[in-house]
Amino acid sequence: RGVNTYTQFVKDNYLEVPESQAVYEIRGELLDEFEKAQTSHAKVMTVIDYLCENYKYSLNPEHDPEFEGSVLDEFLLSKNEGYCVQFASAATVLLRSLGIPARYVQGYTAYDYDREAKYDEDGDRYYEAKVTDKNAHAWVEVYIEGLGWRAYETTPPAYDSMYYQSPGNLNPSKPKPPVTPNQPEPKPEDPVIPPPPVVEPGEEIV
């Protein structure tokens, strides 16, 4: 009963979609491929692939002062470029529009870590990592019934590294997408970033 109750809670709270012309139009473009996908993961990747292949990554996206609409619509319809916040927000709303419970998550990624394990007084192993404001990041989590919440990377540079260069390539049949202008090429030797921890509501990036 507990699992069913929580699943219903998720559906009641994580499927809301704001009014958006862009979301309506893109949902229509994705619907056929989405419905053909055989697994929950493949359905999620339909949305993430679309965003990362059609929008540019930029730490300084331009703003169109003449655009009338929401920030989300401007990203999807006008400037077509953004950083992790825009990509994660768009993925969250598009996934919800297709019936997949999703939530926007913001926190830090600790990829610059000391690979040599250390041990505390109790003999428990741990690693040290340098985490600064540059490690601030945003991603999306989707709820898969029977599995719970699963983190997905939505930002092009990290998306390329995680889904195409990782040893367990999750999209082996899909060609590697081209790197867009001003988008840094991920280093092949970099470790795969594990799904980051959930940031609880109310927490804030300093």
Side-chain angles (χ1 to χ4, degrees):
R1 174 182 291 182
V3 173
N4 292 336
T5 300
Y6 184 70
T7 297
Q8 188 58 51
F9 167 81
V10 168
K11 292 180 179 179
D12 290 342
N13 290 274
Y14 294 98
L15 285 173
E16 184 177 356
V17 180
E19 291 187 10
S20 168
Q21 181 63 28
V23 171
Y24 175 79
E25 292 178 4
I26 294 174
R27 181 187 183 279
E29 291 182 38
L30 296 175
L31 191 57
D32 185 57
E33 184 178 353
F34 179 85
E35 291 181 340
K36 289 178 181 177
Q38 299 297 308
T39 65
S40 296
H41 170 74
K43 291 180 182 295
V44 173
M45 292 306 298
T46 297
V47 172
I48 297 177
D49 285 342
Y50 176 87
L51 290 174
C52 289
E53 292 170 6
N54 290 280
Y55 294 85
K56 295 188 297 183
Y57 173 71
S58 172
L59 292 175
N60 299 291
E62 295 182 3
H63 170 63
D64 181 1
E66 297 183 0
F67 182 84
E68 297 182 1
S70 67
V71 175
L72 176 64
D73 277 3
E74 183 182 7
F75 168 65
L76 293 173
L77 294 178
S78 177
K79 61 188 179 185
N80 297 106
E81 63 177 13
Y83 47 95
C84 60
V85 171
Q86 284 86 359
F87 279 90
S89 298
T92 300
V93 176
L94 286 169
L95 286 165
R96 288 183 178 189
S97 75
L98 290 161
I100 295 182
R103 61 188 183 188
Y104 170 90
V105 185
Q106 189 168 299
Y108 294 84
T109 54
Y111 52 82
D112 185 14
Y113 64 90
D114 185 348
R115 302 189 188 193
E116 182 177 349
K118 296 179 174 58
Y119 296 86
D120 61 20
E121 296 178 354
D122 298 323
D124 293 325
R125 184 172 60 181
Y126 70 95
Y127 296 87
E128 289 185 347
K130 296 178 182 179
V131 179
T132 69
D133 287 344
K134 292 182 179 180
N135 295 90
H137 195 46
W139 58 96
V140 67
E141 288 187 343
V142 301
Y143 184 78
I144 300 176
E145 197 165 347
L147 294 177
W149 292 101
R150 291 293 180 267
Y152 278 85
E153 181 56 67
T154 59
T155 306
Y159 154 93
D160 185 32
S161 177
M162 179 173 288
Y163 300 121
Y164 289 91
Q165 295 181 359
S166 62
N169 189 337
L170 298 179
N171 283 329
S173 62
K174 202 172 178 63
K176 176 183 174 182
V179 176
T180 54
N182 300 321
Q183 176 182 315
E185 177 74 48
K187 298 179 181 179
E189 67 270 17
D190 284 347
V192 176
I193 303 172
V198 175
V199 177
E200 295 297 331
E203 289 193 17
E204 182 178 334
I205 290 183
V206 179

